[in-house]
Amino acid sequence: MPTVPAGNTRVHYLVDGSGPGLVLVHGTAFGAAGTWGHLVDQFADRHTVIRPDFAGSDETVDDGGDLAVADLAAQVAAAAEEAVTGQVDLVGFSLGAVVAATLAALRPELVRRLVLVAGWTNPGDEYLRNLMTAWRRTGADPEAFGRLGTLTAFSRSFLNAIGPAEVDRIASGNRPTDGALRQIELNLRVDIRPLLPRITAETLVVGCTLDATVPVENARELHAAIPGSTYAEIESGHVVLFEQPGEFVKLVKDFIDR
């Protein structure tokens, strides 16, 4: 499996397909394979799809210290530049949206089009701050960590539709690794507001109307802070990639392939 150095980190990444570069950036507590694996084939027919694991996730190895969003952005950039030549389109989900926005601001020459899904600008939303604090504090109780993460990741209607056995399976697969807890710590202190006016890539911000992890008002604030960005909403809980995969893929494809 390919890796590339970035600062004190050895970044693991996955590559599929061929064509222009498309980088998919995962969120908190789940790496690239678990977040994007079910959608790769729908993009790889026309793109070289790069899925990096930033520090704290899956096969990527770092020194175990506090995470910084600029470092995570540099890790994503390193994987993109190792895999393809030239500009890439960049899609970030949740914390991945925060990382992707940072990368687009710091490396504008690298990013052609930018899609930010269920992201935020800073932890000033008291709901978001308290949720992340509570989630971090369940780190000593793996079942509670998985239950809380699952409860807020999906809408009530989706949880009821998939039923108790599948809900239990998802919750049992969401465990508080050291890397996941470091990522939650980053969620609590990251503030990218000063960077957002520097984004020059054509940008689409996507909010999820039923989001109980990062309430949709945060996505609207992110859109308002990026000059010239466009905005769309999907009726979904936080993990729109699983709740509404067809609508999500169409929205992204329509934006990056036009």
Side-chain angles (χ1 to χ4, degrees):
M1 293 182 288
T3 63
V4 61
N8 64 4
T9 303
R10 193 81 192 174
V11 183
H12 167 262
Y13 63 97
L14 303 168
V15 181
D16 298 273
S18 62
L22 173 63
V23 182
L24 305 179
V25 189
H26 64 83
T28 304
F30 285 95
T35 301
W36 300 107
H38 65 300
L39 299 179
V40 168
D41 288 348
Q42 299 192 55
F43 294 109
D45 58 336
R46 297 184 61 178
H47 297 272
T48 298
V49 181
I50 304 117
R51 292 178 287 154
D53 289 315
F54 53 66
S57 292
D58 288 2
E59 305 295 327
T60 289
V61 178
D62 71 327
D63 64 4
D66 290 343
L67 300 178
V69 69
D71 293 338
L72 302 190
Q75 293 161 22
V76 171
E81 292 179 307
E82 184 78 1
V84 295
T85 301
Q87 287 188 307
V88 298
D89 294 325
L90 186 58
V91 181
F93 164 69
S94 192
L95 175 56
V98 179
V99 173
T102 301
L103 175 54
L106 297 178
R107 294 286 309 279
E109 80 287 355
L110 181 61
V111 181
R112 186 183 76 106
R113 288 192 174 129
L114 176 66
V115 182
L116 306 175
V117 185
W120 69 98
T121 67
N122 72 99
D125 179 344
E126 277 301 298
Y127 176 92
L128 178 61
R129 185 181 71 83
N130 278 276
L131 174 63
M132 291 296 165
T133 299
W135 197 22
R136 179 190 58 187
R137 290 182 179 177
T138 63
D141 184 338
E143 183 176 1
F145 183 92
R147 292 286 178 189
L148 180 59
T150 301
L151 178 65
T152 63
F154 301 101
S155 66
R156 177 173 176 264
S157 58
F158 183 82
L159 291 173
N160 282 323
I162 63 176
E166 182 64 8
V167 170
D168 289 350
R169 186 193 68 80
I170 293 171
S172 67
N174 184 5
R175 286 298 180 257
T177 65
D178 174 72
L181 295 175
R182 287 192 292 142
Q183 290 168 2
I184 295 171
E185 288 279 0
L186 176 60
N187 294 346
L188 279 163
R189 54 185 162 76
V190 69
D191 186 348
I192 60 170
R193 286 175 292 182
L195 294 174
L196 298 176
R198 297 167 57 180
I199 294 175
T200 58
E202 190 175 354
T203 301
L204 170 65
V205 179
V206 180
C208 302
T209 59
L210 305 178
D211 197 333
T213 301
V214 182
V216 68
E217 290 82 3
N218 291 274
R220 294 170 186 163
E221 179 183 343
L222 182 59
H223 158 58
I226 300 175
S229 64
T230 58
Y231 182 72
E233 288 186 356
I234 298 177
E235 186 173 344
S236 172
H238 185 63
V239 191
V240 62
L241 320 176
F242 284 91
E243 283 204 31
Q244 300 289 352
E247 187 175 353
F248 171 77
V249 168
K250 183 179 186 305
L251 187 64
V252 174
K253 280 187 167 183
D254 287 349
F255 180 72
I256 65 175
D257 291 340
R258 60 187 179 184

